[in-house]
Amino acid sequence: MKKVFQKPIKKQIMLLFLPVVIAAVLIIGLFAYFFETNNIKKNASFLTQSMVSQISILLNDKMMTAFTQMINLSGSPAVNTLLLSESSSEEDFSSLMTCYSSMEEIYRNYDQMIDSLYFCNNRGIEVKYFVSDVPKHIGLSLTQWMKKYNTSPHGVYWLNDHRDDVFQTTTPHKVISVFRIIGSPQSASSGIILFNLNSSYFSGILDNVHVSENGYMMLISRDGTLQSAAMQNRYCLTLSAVEKLKEHFGSSGSTVLRSVTNQRMIVTYQSIEANGWIVAAVMPESDLLSSAGEFKYILLVLMLALTLLVIFLSNLLAKSISKPIEYLSDQVIKFDNGDMNVSFQVDAGNEIGVLAHGLSYLKIAVTELLAQVRREQEQKTKMQLLALQEQIKPHFLYNTIGSIRQLVNMKNNHMASDMCVELARFYRLGISGGKEIVTVREELEHVASYLEIQKMRYGDDFEYVIDVKEELLSIQILKLSLQPLVENAIYHGIKTKDSIGMILVSGEKQEDRVILTVYDDGVGMDSEKLEDLRSTLKLPPEVNHTKYFGLRNVNTRLRLYFGEQSGIVFESVQGVYTQASIVIPLAGSGEGE
């Protein structure tokens, strides 16, 4: 909220007022949508549950009819006579014909539902009724069936949609079977009576049920499933989902499972009394919500229209309030960026007009004050630069004259003369026509002249190398900035070293800055002294501190001209080396005098 109140007034109004109104519109829209969706789900669930209940009653009636007919036939006198091992041939024939007639009558009464009927016993007697096609083989192994199906206390079994192996035809067909096994492998008399029901008849019932656009019906048992032809592969339940659904045998309800394409499928189920199978209506959740699509689009259009109207009115209100304030704000920004010709005139007689009048007078006062401060600052900077440079020039001159005097006293007039020549050359380069800013090339010539003078003084105590890339020689630098670093390397690094020292002056460009380095392999500094030097260089110019006077002067002059990003950076290891680097930003090094 703090950031919001720091924004322009127009944006504040938009950011504070608009979100509240839009949020209210969205909340109302969402509540309306979810309320409507919830009602659709409830209604759809109720209708689906009612539909599944009706289908389960219908299927239960059909299956119970087949079951009753099978039980009645299995308990008929004809079947019982055929099962008796001591019955005569005449009795067997009469019973066989009676059994066949009963099968024929059952088939005529339920020909659409019943596919075939079959009876056999352990004496090899078979009674079969099959009219759909010419079978190439009819029969089963009673012993194998009795071994396989031996778990029902009443010997009654149901098999869901499967290939008919009892009545084998040229073209395989599928059936739903209900059968009863009479006796056991150890019984003197045993047999099986089997009714094959048309799978197509029951799938037709399932096909006639319209669940949803992509929904379908399923008939599920422990040994398999039968689904309507309306099922699309992408909406088929996974095997794990079907197995989970089988856990609900004997109950009814609704659950959410996943399809093979990982879509949410709403499954409403109910069990059949005849065999405990489950009748299930399966529909994608997207179908359930599709009926809310029209309402959703109407709601979105209304919400969008209301939101646009709110935005338009808010913008109109904010603009009328903030326009004169924005104008004054823009003028203040221009004035702050240095544009002294801005105007604060506003045609308003309210508080904004008073504010504009005050800003006009304030501009006049600030302009005069800035001009005065600028004049004073320029004068102060110029005096600081002159004072600092004047402090450096005598420092080197005294030392050099002392060296010449020493040579004269030693009767080494020739070297004293050469030193005078180099001193004259040094000051000729140092004066540089009165310029304060010179190129790196000129400053290196100045340093080379200084090093030659010092080699005359100290003989073979040190060697030096100047290695700066050609591309850096034209870059501008403050005059007399490298020489104090070289002087420091000689007096505090090489002079107290027992062996011959080396001074290396180098330079490189790193991204947006130039680094000129003076390296010596002298005695170096310990960490305490190095930290003291670094902290002293950070002191402001007005602090009167005599320690590291020459280095402070160079560092201060660099910062005054090139800014706070420039200055001297020291690195040192005691007994190994000392390295002083001048850092100059490229933007500053190209400014000229």
Side-chain angles (χ1 to χ4, degrees):
M1 290 301 294
K2 184 178 180 181
K3 291 183 179 179
V4 171
F5 286 114
Q6 291 175 351
K7 292 183 178 295
I9 294 178
K10 182 178 179 180
K11 289 187 176 180
Q12 287 187 35
I13 296 174
M14 300 293 285
L15 291 174
L16 293 174
F17 179 68
L18 273 182
V20 174
V21 177
I22 293 175
V25 172
L26 289 175
I27 290 172
I28 294 172
L30 288 174
F31 269 107
Y33 177 74
F34 285 122
F35 179 76
E36 180 66 18
T37 302
N38 190 45
N39 282 340
I40 290 173
K41 287 183 177 180
K42 286 182 178 179
N43 293 336
S45 177
F46 175 77
L47 293 174
T48 305
Q49 189 69 49
S50 177
M51 176 188 63
V52 170
S53 178
Q54 292 177 12
I55 296 301
S56 65
I57 292 173
L58 176 61
L59 292 177
N60 182 72
D61 180 64
K62 299 297 182 182
M63 292 184 176
M64 187 61 76
T65 298
F67 173 77
T68 302
Q69 294 297 323
M70 183 203 67
I71 293 298
N72 290 339
L73 183 60
S74 64
S76 65
V79 172
N80 289 330
T81 300
L82 292 174
L83 287 172
L84 294 175
S85 58
E86 63 273 7
S87 61
S88 63
S89 299
E90 292 180 0
E91 290 176 331
D92 287 345
F93 180 77
S94 176
S95 298
L96 190 148
M97 293 306 295
T98 303
C99 184
Y100 182 84
S101 297
S102 299
M103 287 183 178
E104 183 179 23
E105 183 180 358
I106 293 172
Y107 182 83
R108 283 199 308 267
N109 293 332
Y110 308 102
D111 60 332
Q112 292 184 347
M113 180 174 67
I114 296 179
D115 177 80
S116 55
L117 301 94
Y118 180 79
F119 167 79
C120 72
N121 61 14
N122 58 350
R123 292 191 294 139
I125 297 176
E126 288 184 321
V127 183
K128 51 213 172 190
Y129 193 89
F130 181 74
V131 297
S132 298
D133 199 355
V134 177
K136 63 179 182 180
H137 179 266
I138 298 176
L140 55 78
S141 173
L142 180 60
T143 304
Q144 291 181 359
W145 277 61
M146 295 183 77
K147 287 182 179 179
K148 184 175 182 181
Y149 302 102
N150 57 10
T151 57
S152 174
H154 305 291
V156 178
Y157 298 89
W158 286 86
L159 297 179
N160 205 340
D161 184 41
H162 66 283
R163 179 177 175 176
D164 187 5
D165 293 325
V166 177
F167 294 87
Q168 299 181 22
T169 58
T170 304
T171 303
H173 64 289
K174 289 191 173 183
V175 294
I176 295 175
S177 299
V178 54
F179 60 92
R180 180 182 182 186
I181 295 178
I182 304 169
S184 65
Q186 294 78 26
S187 302
S189 299
S190 60
I192 182 172
I193 185 163
L194 177 142
F195 279 32
N196 280 331
L197 310 180
N198 284 321
S199 292
S200 58
Y201 176 79
F202 290 93
S203 63
I205 295 175
L206 300 180
D207 290 341
N208 288 329
V209 180
H210 180 71
V211 179
S212 67
E213 182 180 356
N214 298 299
Y216 57 92
M217 296 293 296
M218 293 183 69
L219 183 60
I220 303 171
S221 65
R222 298 190 185 277
D223 63 292
T225 61
L226 175 67
Q227 56 270 341
S228 62
M231 185 193 73
Q232 300 180 33
N233 290 335
R234 59 178 174 156
Y235 296 120
C236 178
L237 294 178
T238 62
L239 293 177
S240 59
V242 174
E243 291 300 320
K244 191 172 182 180
L245 192 57
K246 289 180 181 180
E247 298 174 1
H248 299 283
F249 281 123
S251 62
S252 61
S254 181
T255 185
V256 177
L257 300 173
R258 292 285 179 175
S259 69
V260 292
T261 54
N262 201 35
Q263 298 191 53
R264 286 171 59 88
M265 308 295 289
I266 298 176
V267 182
T268 304
Y269 59 89
Q270 185 162 326
S271 300
I272 299 174
E273 292 183 15
N275 49 21
W277 292 2
I278 289 177
V279 178
V282 184
M283 72 173 75
E285 190 178 52
S286 57
D287 284 4
L288 187 62
L289 298 177
S290 63
S291 57
E294 184 177 351
F295 174 77
K296 178 178 67 177
Y297 292 130
I298 294 174
L299 186 63
L300 285 175
V301 170
L302 290 175
M303 290 172 61
L304 180 61
L306 184 58
T307 302
L308 292 176
L309 179 61
V310 170
I311 292 174
F312 173 75
L313 294 177
S314 300
N315 186 63
L316 191 63
L317 176 64
K319 189 175 181 180
S320 64
I321 296 175
S322 64
K323 186 176 181 180
I325 299 177
E326 287 179 355
Y327 170 76
L328 291 178
S329 177
D330 291 340
Q331 298 301 95
V332 170
I333 293 173
K334 291 179 181 178
F335 183 71
D336 186 54
N337 291 333
D339 186 358
M340 301 300 173
N341 297 319
V342 297
S343 173
F344 294 103
Q345 296 298 323
V346 174
D347 186 15
N350 52 19
E351 293 86 348
I352 297 177
V354 175
L355 177 62
H357 188 69
L359 287 174
S360 297
Y361 280 102
L362 181 63
K363 184 195 78 170
I364 297 172
V366 170
T367 302
E368 294 177 354
L369 180 61
L370 286 175
Q372 181 181 352
V373 171
R374 188 180 296 109
R375 289 192 298 269
E376 292 178 354
Q377 186 63 34
E378 289 175 354
Q379 185 66 24
K380 179 181 177 182
T381 302
K382 184 176 180 180
M383 294 303 295
Q384 283 180 321
L385 286 171
L386 291 175
L388 289 172
Q389 191 165 340
E390 287 301 321
Q391 288 174 339
I392 286 179
K393 290 177 181 177
H395 179 71
F396 171 67
L397 179 61
Y398 297 153
N399 291 336
T400 308
I401 290 175
S403 298
I404 294 173
R405 180 183 177 185
Q406 184 178 3
L407 289 173
V408 172
N409 291 337
M410 293 171 60
K411 308 298 183 179
N412 195 345
N413 295 333
H414 178 71
M415 184 173 290
S417 176
D418 290 343
M419 187 175 291
C420 287
V421 172
E422 288 297 329
L423 181 63
R425 180 170 178 267
F426 174 80
Y427 272 99
R428 176 176 58 80
L429 293 171
I431 294 172
S432 302
K435 296 186 296 182
E436 298 299 330
I437 302 299
V438 297
T439 63
V440 173
R441 186 191 304 276
E442 292 173 317
E443 182 67 11
L444 290 177
E445 291 177 359
H446 197 229
V447 168
S449 179
Y450 173 79
L451 286 169
E452 283 299 321
I453 292 173
Q454 297 294 51
K455 277 189 67 65
M456 291 178 188
R457 291 183 61 199
Y458 296 107
D460 295 330
D461 285 354
F462 71 90
E463 297 291 338
Y464 72 89
V465 174
I466 299 177
D467 181 20
V468 178
K469 295 181 180 179
E470 183 69 24
E471 61 178 342
L472 301 181
L473 298 180
S474 60
I475 291 176
Q476 295 174 326
I477 190 175
L478 200 64
K479 181 172 63 179
L480 290 179
S481 55
L482 279 175
Q483 181 269 331
L485 303 185
V486 174
E487 180 179 356
N488 187 73
I490 293 174
Y491 282 101
H492 300 288
I494 302 299
K495 187 176 179 181
T496 55
K497 184 179 180 180
D498 295 334
S499 58
I500 297 175
M502 169 59 72
I503 296 175
L504 174 62
V505 181
S506 60
E508 62 176 346
K509 183 186 294 184
Q510 292 184 354
E511 297 178 356
D512 58 347
R513 60 182 182 172
V514 175
I515 299 179
L516 299 173
T517 302
V518 177
Y519 172 90
D520 71 82
D521 60 354
V523 296
M525 292 180 281
D526 57 29
S527 58
E528 183 178 351
K529 185 176 181 181
L530 178 61
E531 186 59 34
D532 181 53
L533 171 59
R534 287 173 175 171
S535 59
T536 303
L537 292 179
K538 293 178 181 179
L539 294 174
E542 57 269 17
V543 176
N544 187 15
H545 200 293
T546 58
K547 201 172 185 181
Y548 310 114
F549 178 75
L551 297 177
R552 279 197 67 204
N553 280 340
V554 175
N555 191 64
T556 302
R557 291 170 63 218
L558 289 170
R559 288 180 177 269
L560 281 172
Y561 188 82
F562 294 111
E564 294 299 320
Q565 294 80 17
S566 62
I568 305 175
V569 178
F570 271 92
E571 295 179 11
S572 182
V573 176
Q574 188 172 16
V576 180
Y577 77 95
T578 298
Q579 177 176 291
S581 300
I582 292 178
V583 179
I584 302 174
L586 281 175
S589 63
E591 290 182 0
E593 296 184 19

